[in-house]
Amino acid sequence: MGHTLLRVLELFLVNTLLYVHAEVGHPKPRLTVDTNIIHGKNNVTLTCSVEGSADWTVWKYDWFKRTSYSSEAQSIRNGVPENIIGVSEEGLYNCRGRREDPPFYTEYSNEVTIQKIFSNRVSLTLQPNWTQIFKGETITLRCQIEGGGGTDWTYQWTPERLNIPPTNNEYRISSATESDSGEYRCIGRRDSYSSTGWSNTITLTVSARKPEPRLTADNIPVRGTVRLTCSVEGSADWKYDWFKRTSDSSKAQSIRNGVPHKVIEVSEGGLYHCRGGRGDPPFYTEESNEVTVHGTVSNRVSLTLQPNRTQIFRGETITLRCQIEGGGGTDWAYIWIKDKLNIPSTNNEYRISSATESDSGKYWCKGRRDSYSSTEWSNFITLTVSPNRPKAELSADDRDIPVGGSVTLTCSVKTSSSGWKYFWYRGEKTSEPLTTQDVLLSTGRIRVSQEGVYWCRGGRGEPVYYTEYSDSISINKIVVNKAVVTLQPNWSEIFSGETITLRCEIKNGGDTEWEYEWKTTSSRKPSNQNEVSITSAYVSHSGDYRCKGRKKNKQSTDWSDPIKLTVSDEKPKSVLTVSPLWLNAGDSVTLNCEVEHPSAGWRFYWYKTVPKLPDYSYSLELLPVSSNGTEQDSYIVHGQTGTARYVCRAERGDPVYYTQYSEPKFVWSRDFHSSASLTVSPDRVQHFTSDSVSLNCEGNSTEWRVRGLTGNRYLSYCSYWGTMTGSTCNMYSSWQSDGVFWCESGSGEFSNAVNISLQDINIILVSPVHPVTEGDPVSLSCKLRTGIFDSNVFFYRNDELIQNDTRKERNISAVSKSDEGFYKCQYSEEESPQSWMSVKAVSRPESSSFPVGLIVGLVCGTILLLLILLFLLYCYRSSKDSRCISQSERTIQGSDTNQVLNQNEAQGAVYSTLLHGGPVAYESIKGTEDTENVAGGSQDVTYSLIELKNIKKKGKQHGPEESTVYSDVKTRTADDNLMYAQVNHHNKGKAKKTKGIPHPAPTEAVYSEVKPGTSLGL
């Protein structure tokens, strides 16, 4: 009973559930996938979800797969508890859920398509491989699966329109149209759900228009052929068909078919065209343009010009001739071109009967047998037609026919072409040409011996083409008179700005009225007058000048000899030299003035400069004797006692032409003068740079300036190396130099000059800055800038040691000329500069010259005795002729001694000269003393000269027979004890003669040595 009740209850519940289910419906699961594509061996995940159930574990799942839309679903898993599975195969998948006991099933889920992509690579190719296709061409697209192969593949193409059909691996377009343009790709499929990836993309462009090839031909033949080129633009893989027509009316014949070369060479004439073709079946382009090829025959063509002249003149006649070697015959026609333009002529000659400028250019020709066969082009000839008729030029080697001679005339045409003959005329142009045998038509030269007016012109060609007439030349006969050019003033060199006159003089010209002609190499052509005045000469006037004279009947003289005129473009400068530079008492000053580039005719003017204060200038004062100038280039100033500054210049000509002034030159004096003097404080030559050195000007003026010639040899003022206060110049302590210094006053005077030195050293020599008087005491000392003397001090004169002891002074009790020289001191390996000490001489006592006078007296007495004897002998011989000549004259002569004194030389000399000649005796005694700037000690020299001259009988004068005695006494320094006397004796014997030529008698010389004693005071 209980069992039955339970069974009833179960049935009730089932019915109830069935009722509820019938009322609610079965649930429908949802199938999802993480990806729809399986790559290679990978899996995809499927998830089956039953909606409305929180616990999926109460469900079990059935999984189904279909391989196609038309196939039935196959169970792949049944009643599995997993709602997620992984699958690796393609297909259509669905699922359902179920519960057990009693079984309850959901509806089937949605289907999910799973596709599989194979790893095989797909490539798309185009056959033929042309990116640009023309309408009507056939092409094939091929889809290839690498490693796939087999017949179980189907193929899918894009664009989509291609899938209906084909499905195989090739897509063939048998006649392309524009609609076939686009992008193409493909994939391979094994079934509906497994495939490869997409291939590469190929873009096709189909052109609606057929291509038109372009045929070109090279203008320059190659080895007797013409190169033809058939060009199809925009694509490749063309093969070419070539066609030829032999005439305009004939049909085209194929000469080459389907050749791969677009360039061919042809050697035959004709009309050629081409076309391109490609593909299978072939696709052809349009036919190309036609090209006319003229075949070249081997005959060589040469072009010649008659007459053969490259330069032609307007109006000339010329002929161009085209010649075919080995051709000949009448079957040739000729083609002419000028500058690439055709000339309408078919003959082998092209004649230009009257050339113009338009005929200039390059000419070619060739021969033609038919329309397409011809020779090559000939060589070209360039013609140049000048618009102007050329003019003949006539020249003569001389315009004057010498007496009994002739002159040569030359006619020429200055052109680049030849072939000229020459025609000569005398008198008028309209006269007939000269036909004498002297005319040389081939060379254009003629010799004429008749005077007159001559012309010429050139001519060439047939008919003759004439040049313009030349200019005329007048030929004259020369007369015997000679022309001479003279220059006034007659100076070989002229300076720019001078005035000169050239004169043409006719020797033996008489009263004939002459016309004059000048010829010169200068750039200034003189007028045809007998005088050419150049009032202001220039360099352009330089050159050779010649002249000639011509009578009214046209007869003329020959050209004169040339006179050379040289004009310098620089104004000449005077150069002044003075001697001596340093004055001693009684010295004269010699001025020498030279003109640069020496020439004649100068007068010299001499000036003294006068200081002008307060400005820094000088005025020039003409020396008295120089008011009218001097012809001599030297001038002696006597009695100059102080420092002076001189200038010179020269002048010549009318009007006067002056040189530049010379550079000023100084003559310095050490002697004091009351009107202007210079003193130095401290009173010494050498100074330290730390010393306060002042130069003080004194004299008859209230205005002063100090000038100096310093070590750099430049003149400068006190303001350069010091400060001027009143009449005193205080030198800068930092200034270091040597120099000569002097004062210049407002009254126009120069002071004495001094040498001083400022040195940046530790030791100096203290010596007098002014000359010391002979006989006065002098003290020289050595001075240190810092420190004291604690050892020996050395004193030197002229680099010879004169004192070596502990004294720092050198004392001379009575100074003499022998003490003059350069002095310096030395201490502890330090050495001072050297300074010159000048000694001013005084008159010597007569006793000091006693030995010299004694010797001169003895010599003169001896000579006087000889003269008396000779005079008596002469009177004795003359008494035979009843006459005796007695005459005597005694003259004292003085000579000026001009020397530039140097501080390295010193001389003290006495010159005593007695000149004795026949009855006339001359005695000259001159004494000079050079007492300054002496470096080598004192020398006292006495010269005694006696010259004897004999006068022959009967007044006949011959070369003098000389008897001369020289007595030379030289007194050396205190260290020397020798005195030399020299006597030269000329024998009175007759001179030897060789073939009438007299030779001088030998000379005997006697030298004696005299040792002076203490009586000389040495």
Side-chain angles (χ1 to χ4, degrees):
M1 178 84 181
H3 178 72
T4 304
L5 182 60
L6 290 172
R7 182 66 178 168
V8 170
L9 180 60
E10 181 181 0
L11 292 172
F12 173 77
L13 291 172
V14 170
N15 290 329
T16 302
L17 289 171
L18 290 174
Y19 176 78
V20 173
H21 178 69
E23 290 294 329
V24 177
H26 291 272
K28 186 175 181 178
R30 181 172 176 266
L31 182 61
T32 60
V33 62
D34 58 351
T35 177
N36 295 91
I37 299 175
I38 300 172
H39 292 281
K41 296 181 180 181
N42 297 328
N43 293 333
V44 297
T45 300
L46 300 176
T47 302
C48 189
S49 303
V50 179
E51 296 180 0
S53 175
D55 187 5
W56 58 271
T57 59
V58 299
W59 297 92
K60 293 186 178 180
Y61 298 92
D62 298 328
W63 294 88
F64 305 94
K65 171 190 173 185
R66 290 193 301 158
T67 57
S68 66
Y69 288 106
S70 60
S71 64
E72 293 183 358
Q74 302 294 324
S75 176
I76 56 173
R77 295 186 186 183
N78 193 20
V80 295
E82 296 85 10
N83 73 327
I84 298 175
I85 64 171
V87 296
S88 60
E89 294 182 353
E90 71 280 5
L92 295 171
Y93 290 86
N94 64 3
C95 68
R96 69 179 178 180
R98 70 177 178 172
R99 290 176 179 169
E100 298 292 340
D101 198 21
F104 175 77
Y105 296 94
T106 66
E107 293 186 7
Y108 288 96
S109 71
N110 57 298
E111 271 189 330
V112 173
T113 302
I114 302 298
Q115 295 183 347
K116 187 172 184 178
I117 303 298
F118 294 104
S119 61
N120 304 70
R121 185 170 177 271
V122 181
S123 60
L124 181 61
T125 59
L126 177 65
Q127 296 297 326
N129 188 18
W130 307 323
T131 55
Q132 184 179 17
I133 310 299
F134 294 97
K135 183 176 181 178
E137 284 194 291
T138 298
I139 56 173
T140 300
L141 294 159
R142 182 172 291 113
C143 192
Q144 295 176 327
I145 301 174
E146 296 180 1
T151 58
D152 54 346
W153 289 95
T154 60
Y155 295 86
Q156 181 180 344
W157 299 82
T158 61
E160 293 296 332
R161 66 177 182 272
L162 303 182
N163 292 323
I164 309 174
T167 58
N168 57 357
N169 69 329
E170 285 188 355
Y171 177 57
R172 182 180 178 86
I173 302 174
S174 58
S175 181
T177 64
E178 298 95 304
S179 62
D180 291 315
S181 300
E183 295 182 347
Y184 289 79
R185 62 179 183 164
C186 67
I187 60 174
R189 289 191 179 278
R190 278 236 175 106
D191 53 35
S192 301
Y193 310 108
S194 58
S195 67
T196 64
W198 285 102
S199 70
N200 56 296
T201 301
I202 290 180
T203 302
L204 293 184
T205 302
V206 180
S207 298
R209 181 179 57 85
K210 274 189 176 185
E212 294 183 4
R214 181 171 177 268
L215 181 60
T216 58
D218 290 346
N219 290 329
I220 302 175
V222 179
R223 296 184 302 276
T225 62
V226 174
R227 181 177 296 163
L228 301 178
T229 302
C230 189
S231 303
V232 180
E233 296 181 359
S235 191
D237 291 342
W238 295 101
K239 293 186 178 180
Y240 300 91
D241 298 332
W242 295 89
F243 304 92
K244 171 191 173 185
R245 290 193 300 150
T246 57
S247 67
D248 291 335
S249 59
S250 63
K251 290 184 178 181
Q253 302 294 324
S254 175
I255 56 172
R256 296 186 189 182
N257 192 21
V259 295
H261 308 297
K262 69 175 183 178
V263 178
I264 65 170
E265 293 181 358
V266 296
S267 58
E268 296 179 354
L271 296 170
Y272 289 85
H273 71 272
C274 67
R275 70 177 178 182
R278 68 180 182 181
D280 187 17
F283 171 80
Y284 294 104
T285 66
E286 301 285 353
E287 293 187 347
S288 73
N289 56 297
E290 261 189 337
V291 170
T292 302
V293 174
H294 296 283
T296 302
V297 297
S298 60
N299 304 74
R300 186 171 178 271
V301 181
S302 61
L303 180 60
T304 59
L305 177 65
Q306 296 297 327
N308 188 18
R309 306 169 192 140
T310 55
Q311 184 181 21
I312 310 300
F313 293 95
R314 183 183 182 92
E316 283 196 286
T317 298
I318 55 172
T319 300
L320 293 160
R321 183 172 290 111
C322 192
Q323 295 176 325
I324 301 174
E325 297 180 2
T330 58
D331 54 347
W332 290 96
Y334 294 85
I335 300 175
W336 295 84
I337 61 171
K338 176 176 109 31
D339 295 334
K340 309 303 181 184
L341 299 176
N342 291 331
I343 298 175
S345 176
T346 58
N347 298 323
N348 70 326
E349 287 188 354
Y350 180 62
R351 183 178 178 86
I352 302 175
S353 57
S354 181
T356 63
E357 299 92 304
S358 62
D359 293 314
S360 299
K362 290 184 177 180
Y363 289 80
W364 289 268
C365 73
K366 68 177 178 178
R368 182 185 299 282
R369 266 204 182 130
D370 53 37
S371 300
Y372 308 111
S373 297
S374 65
T375 65
E376 293 182 357
W377 286 104
S378 69
N379 58 295
F380 70 86
I381 288 179
T382 301
L383 292 185
T384 302
V385 180
S386 299
N388 299 320
R389 186 181 293 267
K391 183 176 181 178
E393 295 183 7
L394 179 60
S395 62
D397 61 349
D398 201 329
R399 299 289 185 96
D400 301 306
I401 302 173
V403 177
S406 62
V407 297
T408 300
L409 303 180
T410 302
C411 189
S412 61
V413 180
K414 303 298 183 183
T415 66
S416 60
S417 58
S418 57
W420 298 100
K421 293 185 178 181
Y422 298 93
F423 302 86
W424 299 88
Y425 306 86
R426 185 174 65 242
E428 300 295 330
K429 296 179 183 177
T430 57
S431 60
E432 290 295 322
L434 298 177
T435 58
T436 64
Q437 60 181 4
D438 290 335
V439 177
L440 305 177
L441 295 177
S442 59
T443 62
R445 292 164 62 89
I446 181 176
R447 297 190 64 83
V448 297
S449 57
Q450 288 183 301
E451 60 184 344
V453 178
Y454 286 84
W455 316 74
C456 76
R457 64 174 174 172
R460 68 181 183 184
E462 185 62 45
V464 178
Y465 173 83
Y466 292 102
T467 67
E468 298 284 352
Y469 286 97
S470 70
D471 293 332
S472 64
I473 287 182
S474 295
I475 302 299
N476 309 304
K477 281 193 174 182
I478 292 179
V479 295
V480 296
N481 305 78
K482 181 175 178 59
V484 177
V485 178
T486 59
L487 176 64
Q488 295 297 328
N490 189 17
W491 302 327
S492 57
E493 183 175 16
I494 310 300
F495 295 96
S496 180
E498 287 195 287
T499 298
I500 55 172
T501 299
L502 292 163
R503 182 176 290 110
C504 187
E505 297 178 355
I506 309 298
K507 300 299 182 182
N508 302 319
D511 297 331
T512 305
E513 293 185 6
W514 295 91
E515 295 176 353
Y516 297 87
E517 183 178 351
W518 290 86
K519 183 162 60 176
T520 179
T521 58
S522 75
S523 59
R524 300 290 189 97
K525 302 304 177 184
S527 60
N528 289 331
Q529 304 292 328
N530 70 320
E531 282 191 359
V532 176
S533 293
I534 302 174
T535 56
S536 183
Y538 293 97
V539 178
S540 56
H541 287 109
S542 298
D544 292 334
Y545 288 80
R546 304 170 71 187
C547 74
K548 67 178 178 179
R550 181 177 292 107
K551 295 180 179 181
K552 288 187 176 181
N553 60 3
K554 301 304 181 183
Q555 291 183 337
S556 67
T557 67
D558 202 351
W559 286 105
S560 69
D561 294 331
I563 187 169
K564 188 174 186 63
L565 186 63
T566 302
V567 181
S568 176
D569 62 345
E570 294 183 0
K571 192 178 186 70
K573 184 177 181 180
S574 296
V575 179
L576 176 65
T577 58
V578 297
S579 175
L581 296 178
W582 287 89
L583 287 174
N584 287 316
D587 281 352
S588 297
V589 178
T590 299
L591 309 178
N592 286 283
C593 193
E594 294 183 357
V595 178
E596 290 181 337
H597 313 292
S599 56
W602 297 103
R603 293 186 67 83
F604 297 91
Y605 290 81
W606 313 91
Y607 302 87
K608 179 187 291 186
T609 66
V610 179
K612 291 182 64 178
L613 276 71
D615 58 344
Y616 297 99
S617 64
Y618 298 84
S619 62
L620 294 180
E621 182 179 288
L622 194 64
L623 297 182
V625 76
S626 181
S627 59
N628 294 321
T630 62
E631 293 184 358
Q632 293 78 22
D633 61 357
S634 64
Y635 177 68
I636 298 176
V637 181
H638 297 284
Q640 179 66 42
T641 58
T643 299
R645 189 171 184 250
Y646 294 99
V647 173
C648 75
R649 73 168 174 176
E651 60 88 11
R652 70 179 182 184
D654 184 17
V656 175
Y657 177 84
Y658 292 99
T659 67
Q660 299 183 50
Y661 284 101
S662 70
E663 294 290 337
K665 295 294 182 180
F666 274 95
V667 175
W668 287 295
S669 171
R670 295 186 178 92
D671 295 335
F672 280 101
H673 295 279
S674 59
S675 59
S677 63
L678 170 65
T679 58
V680 182
S681 178
D683 186 15
R684 62 175 184 258
V685 176
Q686 297 181 20
H687 305 269
F688 296 116
T689 53
S690 58
D691 292 340
S692 296
V693 180
S694 62
L695 305 176
N696 186 49
C697 301
E698 298 178 355
N700 302 330
S701 179
T702 59
E703 289 184 290
W704 297 93
R705 65 187 179 204
V706 178
R707 296 205 69 179
L709 182 63
T710 56
N712 57 13
R713 311 310 298 168
Y714 287 111
L715 283 170
S716 55
Y717 291 93
C718 172
S719 59
Y720 181 75
W721 24 261
T723 57
M724 192 78 187
T725 304
S727 61
T728 301
C729 175
N730 297 301
M731 305 184 77
Y732 295 135
S733 60
S734 60
W735 186 75
Q736 177 181 351
S737 182
D738 299 329
V740 179
F741 299 89
W742 64 93
C743 295
E744 296 175 359
S745 72
S747 57
E749 295 182 271
F750 294 92
S751 73
N752 59 299
V754 297
N755 272 304
I756 63 172
S757 173
L758 274 76
Q759 301 294 334
D760 187 16
I761 54 178
N762 193 46
I763 185 170
I764 62 172
L765 176 72
V766 177
S767 62
V769 70
H770 300 292
V772 294
T773 304
E774 193 173 22
D776 289 348
V778 174
S779 178
L780 306 176
S781 63
C782 206
K783 185 176 182 179
L784 295 175
R785 182 194 295 267
T786 59
I788 60 174
F789 295 100
D790 56 6
S791 61
N792 285 5
V793 177
F794 302 86
F795 285 89
Y796 296 86
R797 180 171 65 85
N798 300 327
D799 290 327
E800 292 184 3
L801 182 64
I802 58 175
Q803 180 174 306
N804 176 12
D805 53 30
T806 58
R807 292 176 297 169
K808 63 178 182 179
E809 294 181 349
R810 166 69 173 173
N811 294 313
I812 304 173
S813 59
V815 72
S816 67
K817 289 295 288 184
S818 62
D819 294 313
E820 199 169 49
F822 282 104
Y823 286 83
K824 66 181 178 181
C825 66
Q826 183 181 0
Y827 169 73
S828 185
E829 297 184 355
E830 289 187 288
E831 186 176 88
S832 74
Q834 61 181 0
S835 292
W836 176 262
M837 186 179 75
S838 178
V839 178
K840 184 166 58 176
V842 295
S843 300
R844 294 180 179 272
E846 292 184 1
S847 60
S848 65
S849 59
F850 172 75
V852 176
L854 178 60
I855 295 172
V856 172
L858 290 175
V859 173
C860 291
T862 303
I863 300 305
L864 182 59
L865 180 59
L866 292 174
L867 289 174
I868 293 172
L869 292 175
L870 290 173
F871 181 76
L872 294 175
L873 179 61
Y874 176 77
C875 290
Y876 173 75
R877 291 180 178 179
S878 300
S879 63
K880 295 180 180 182
D881 298 328
S882 301
R883 60 189 180 93
C884 179
I885 302 174
S886 178
Q887 181 181 2
S888 68
E889 181 177 350
R890 182 176 179 86
T891 306
I892 303 297
Q893 289 186 336
S895 63
D896 294 317
T897 302
N898 303 315
Q899 294 176 325
V900 177
L901 296 184
N902 187 302
Q903 290 186 349
N904 293 321
E905 297 178 350
Q907 292 180 349
V910 177
Y911 302 92
S912 176
T913 304
L914 176 62
L915 305 179
H916 188 161
V920 182
Y922 299 88
E923 180 178 343
S924 175
I925 300 175
K926 174 67 177 179
T928 65
E929 289 183 350
D930 295 340
T931 61
E932 121 187 23
N933 295 343
V934 181
S938 174
Q939 294 180 0
D940 292 336
V941 182
T942 301
Y943 294 96
S944 179
L945 170 63
I946 299 96
E947 181 180 17
L948 303 180
K949 298 183 180 179
N950 291 335
I951 301 176
K952 295 297 182 178
K953 292 181 181 181
K954 300 180 181 180
K956 295 183 179 179
Q957 296 187 5
H958 300 277
E961 295 180 353
E962 299 179 353
S963 177
T964 306
V965 178
Y966 297 94
S967 178
D968 182 356
V969 180
K970 298 182 179 178
T971 304
R972 303 290 296 275
T973 63
D975 295 332
D976 298 329
N977 295 318
L978 296 180
M979 180 180 294
Y980 298 93
Q982 174 182 329
V983 179
N984 293 335
H985 177 69
H986 295 273
N987 287 338
K988 296 166 59 178
K990 295 183 179 178
K992 296 181 180 180
K993 293 186 179 180
T994 302
K995 296 182 180 180
I997 302 175
H999 295 275
T1003 301
E1004 296 180 357
V1006 178
Y1007 299 89
S1008 65
E1009 179 180 316
V1010 180
K1011 295 184 178 180
T1014 57
S1015 61
L1016 294 175
L1018 302 175

